[in-house]
Amino acid sequence: QVQLVQSGGGLVQTGGSLRLSCAASGSIFSVNAMGWYRQAPGKQRELVATITVGGPPNYTDSVKGRFTISRDNAKNTVYLQMNSLKPEDTAVYYCNAKVRRGGSSYYSDYWGQGTQVTVSS
């Protein structure tokens, strides 16, 4: 079994910063792309940022220049540093990882439990 456990998040004022972490554990052979998604009330889940092994990060336009995604491959952990937060960033944030389990020949999607980020105006 594979688990993604998130930490971080919370309540912050406009212009503030938060850092999210997500660690993958379990029967892992390798981890390919990792990323962050978010879902605001009444809206569909949207991509925030993704990062592959050794590749450049990818961001949705609304967070470019404010958010930074990074990963620690040795720890199978992905981070999201969020600066200059705005009320419109308020959402539940989910991490995602494409994981190849031990004994498997393909990658599957796994999700974290979600964490609330609230930015007050």
Side-chain angles (χ1 to χ4, degrees):
Q1 192 59 278
V2 174
Q3 286 186 319
L4 269 60
V5 178
Q6 299 179 214
S7 60
L11 173 65
V12 67
Q13 291 185 332
T14 297
S17 297
L18 287 172
R19 189 188 194 213
L20 305 181
S21 300
C22 172
S25 63
S27 179
I28 296 173
F29 180 79
S30 66
V31 181
N32 197 342
M34 303 184 82
W36 292 94
Y37 293 72
R38 66 187 180 187
Q39 188 167 17
K43 295 187 177 181
Q44 290 187 329
R45 189 174 298 189
E46 66 170 349
L47 170 70
V48 176
T50 59
I51 186 169
T52 58
V53 178
N58 177 56
Y59 300 95
T60 191
D61 286 344
S62 62
V63 308
K64 286 180 180 177
R66 300 188 297 121
F67 291 10
T68 302
I69 188 171
S70 61
R71 63 188 289 171
D72 183 332
N73 294 325
K75 297 180 179 179
N76 290 326
T77 299
V78 63
Y79 306 94
L80 186 67
Q81 178 66 43
M82 304 183 291
N83 299 328
S84 302
L85 282 160
K86 304 176 181 180
E88 50 263 44
D89 294 318
T90 295
V92 178
Y93 284 69
Y94 298 90
C95 66
N96 169 268
K98 300 189 185 306
V99 178
R100 181 180 170 186
R101 295 179 58 184
S104 175
S105 59
Y106 56 89
Y107 287 87
S108 298
D109 276 310
Y110 291 89
W111 294 89
Q113 78 274 22
T115 186
Q116 178 70 45
V117 171
T118 302
V119 185
S120 63
S121 58

